[in-house]
PDB file of all heavy atoms in Angstrom:
ATOM      1  N   PRO B 144      20.946 -17.721 -19.205  1.00 91.00           N
ATOM      2  CA  PRO B 144      22.062 -17.107 -18.477  1.00 91.00           C
ATOM      3  C   PRO B 144      22.023 -15.585 -18.575  1.00 91.00           C
ATOM      4  O   PRO B 144      22.443 -15.014 -19.561  1.00 91.00           O
ATOM      5  CB  PRO B 144      23.288 -17.668 -19.202  1.00 91.00           C
ATOM      6  CG  PRO B 144      22.802 -17.941 -20.585  1.00 91.00           C
ATOM      7  CD  PRO B 144      21.371 -18.348 -20.465  1.00 91.00           C
ATOM      8  N   VAL B 146      22.694 -11.540 -17.292  1.00 91.00           N
ATOM      9  CA  VAL B 146      23.800 -10.796 -16.673  1.00 91.00           C
ATOM     10  C   VAL B 146      23.469 -10.464 -15.218  1.00 91.00           C
ATOM     11  O   VAL B 146      24.276  -9.892 -14.516  1.00 91.00           O
ATOM     12  CB  VAL B 146      24.084  -9.482 -17.437  1.00 91.00           C
ATOM     13  CG1 VAL B 146      24.715  -9.762 -18.786  1.00 91.00           C
ATOM     14  CG2 VAL B 146      22.817  -8.666 -17.577  1.00 91.00           C
ATOM     15  N   GLY B 148      22.685 -12.830 -13.158  1.00 89.00           N
ATOM     16  CA  GLY B 148      23.169 -13.958 -12.369  1.00 89.00           C
ATOM     17  C   GLY B 148      22.103 -14.592 -11.510  1.00 89.00           C
ATOM     18  O   GLY B 148      22.404 -15.233 -10.513  1.00 89.00           O
ATOM     19  N   LEU B 201       3.551 -25.859 -50.814  1.00 88.00           N
ATOM     20  CA  LEU B 201       4.621 -25.497 -49.884  1.00 88.00           C
ATOM     21  C   LEU B 201       4.393 -26.188 -48.540  1.00 88.00           C
ATOM     22  O   LEU B 201       5.328 -26.693 -47.917  1.00 88.00           O
ATOM     23  CB  LEU B 201       4.657 -23.977 -49.704  1.00 88.00           C
ATOM     24  CG  LEU B 201       5.181 -23.186 -50.899  1.00 88.00           C
ATOM     25  CD1 LEU B 201       5.015 -21.705 -50.690  1.00 88.00           C
ATOM     26  CD2 LEU B 201       6.655 -23.526 -51.137  1.00 88.00           C
ATOM     27  N   LEU B 204       5.066 -30.255 -47.924  1.00 86.00           N
ATOM     28  CA  LEU B 204       6.417 -30.810 -47.775  1.00 86.00           C
ATOM     29  C   LEU B 204       6.704 -31.874 -48.834  1.00 86.00           C
ATOM     30  O   LEU B 204       7.340 -32.890 -48.561  1.00 86.00           O
ATOM     31  CB  LEU B 204       6.572 -31.440 -46.381  1.00 86.00           C
ATOM     32  CG  LEU B 204       6.244 -30.576 -45.178  1.00 86.00           C
ATOM     33  CD1 LEU B 204       6.249 -31.412 -43.907  1.00 86.00           C
ATOM     34  CD2 LEU B 204       7.215 -29.423 -45.041  1.00 86.00           C
TER      35      LEU B 204
ATOM     36  N   LEU C   4       4.429 -29.094 -60.171  1.00 78.00           N
ATOM     37  CA  LEU C   4       4.145 -27.788 -59.574  1.00 78.00           C
ATOM     38  C   LEU C   4       5.453 -27.055 -59.275  1.00 78.00           C
ATOM     39  O   LEU C   4       5.605 -25.881 -59.513  1.00 78.00           O
ATOM     40  CB  LEU C   4       3.361 -27.991 -58.273  1.00 78.00           C
ATOM     41  CG  LEU C   4       2.746 -26.752 -57.629  1.00 78.00           C
ATOM     42  CD1 LEU C   4       1.840 -26.043 -58.624  1.00 78.00           C
ATOM     43  CD2 LEU C   4       1.955 -27.166 -56.396  1.00 78.00           C
ATOM     44  N   TYR C  13      13.907 -25.238 -50.522  1.00 89.00           N
ATOM     45  CA  TYR C  13      13.023 -25.498 -49.394  1.00 89.00           C
ATOM     46  C   TYR C  13      13.823 -25.870 -48.161  1.00 89.00           C
ATOM     47  O   TYR C  13      13.684 -25.270 -47.087  1.00 89.00           O
ATOM     48  CB  TYR C  13      12.056 -26.639 -49.756  1.00 89.00           C
ATOM     49  CG  TYR C  13      10.782 -26.637 -48.933  1.00 89.00           C
ATOM     50  CD1 TYR C  13       9.670 -25.918 -49.345  1.00 89.00           C
ATOM     51  CD2 TYR C  13      10.700 -27.354 -47.751  1.00 89.00           C
ATOM     52  CE1 TYR C  13       8.508 -25.915 -48.607  1.00 89.00           C
ATOM     53  CE2 TYR C  13       9.536 -27.361 -47.002  1.00 89.00           C
ATOM     54  CZ  TYR C  13       8.438 -26.646 -47.437  1.00 89.00           C
ATOM     55  OH  TYR C  13       7.296 -26.634 -46.698  1.00 89.00           O
ATOM     56  N   ARG C  36      26.434  -8.549 -22.896  1.00 90.00           N
ATOM     57  CA  ARG C  36      27.746  -8.673 -22.246  1.00 90.00           C
ATOM     58  C   ARG C  36      28.812  -7.840 -22.943  1.00 90.00           C
ATOM     59  O   ARG C  36      29.959  -7.816 -22.534  1.00 90.00           O
ATOM     60  CB  ARG C  36      28.152 -10.149 -22.204  1.00 90.00           C
ATOM     61  CG  ARG C  36      27.297 -10.967 -21.232  1.00 90.00           C
ATOM     62  CD  ARG C  36      27.366 -12.448 -21.502  1.00 90.00           C
ATOM     63  NE  ARG C  36      26.804 -13.241 -20.380  1.00 90.00           N
ATOM     64  CZ  ARG C  36      25.505 -13.447 -20.209  1.00 90.00           C
ATOM     65  NH1 ARG C  36      24.638 -12.926 -21.044  1.00 90.00           N
ATOM     66  NH2 ARG C  36      25.052 -14.171 -19.180  1.00 90.00           N
ATOM     67  N   MET C 161      25.094  -6.930 -12.753  1.00 93.00           N
ATOM     68  CA  MET C 161      24.888  -7.551 -11.450  1.00 93.00           C
ATOM     69  C   MET C 161      25.847  -8.730 -11.260  1.00 93.00           C
ATOM     70  O   MET C 161      26.397  -8.925 -10.180  1.00 93.00           O
ATOM     71  CB  MET C 161      23.447  -8.024 -11.318  1.00 93.00           C
ATOM     72  CG  MET C 161      23.087  -8.533  -9.942  1.00 93.00           C
ATOM     73  SD  MET C 161      21.307  -8.675  -9.756  1.00 93.00           S
ATOM     74  CE  MET C 161      21.194  -9.952  -8.531  1.00 93.00           C
ATOM     75  N   THR C 162      26.066  -9.478 -12.336  1.00 92.00           N
ATOM     76  CA  THR C 162      27.015 -10.602 -12.204  1.00 92.00           C
ATOM     77  C   THR C 162      28.394 -10.077 -11.821  1.00 92.00           C
ATOM     78  O   THR C 162      29.101 -10.684 -11.030  1.00 92.00           O
ATOM     79  CB  THR C 162      27.130 -11.373 -13.540  1.00 92.00           C
ATOM     80  OG1 THR C 162      26.968 -10.463 -14.594  1.00 92.00           O
ATOM     81  CG2 THR C 162      26.120 -12.482 -13.623  1.00 92.00           C
ATOM     82  N   ARG C 169      30.191 -13.017  -4.148  1.00 87.00           N
ATOM     83  CA  ARG C 169      29.995 -14.450  -3.868  1.00 87.00           C
ATOM     84  C   ARG C 169      31.250 -15.038  -3.250  1.00 87.00           C
ATOM     85  O   ARG C 169      31.184 -15.706  -2.226  1.00 87.00           O
ATOM     86  CB  ARG C 169      29.578 -15.185  -5.133  1.00 87.00           C
ATOM     87  CG  ARG C 169      28.099 -14.991  -5.397  1.00 87.00           C
ATOM     88  CD  ARG C 169      27.587 -15.783  -6.583  1.00 87.00           C
ATOM     89  NE  ARG C 169      26.127 -15.629  -6.696  1.00 87.00           N
ATOM     90  CZ  ARG C 169      25.468 -15.537  -7.851  1.00 87.00           C
ATOM     91  NH1 ARG C 169      26.131 -15.586  -8.991  1.00 87.00           N
ATOM     92  NH2 ARG C 169      24.154 -15.401  -7.863  1.00 87.00           N
TER      93      ARG C 169
END
Side-chain angles (χ1 to χ4, degrees):
Chain B
V146 289
L201 288 173
L204 306 171
Chain C
L4 191 56
Y13 203 89
R36 290 161 167 81
M161 187 166 153
T162 33
R169 280 184 175 143

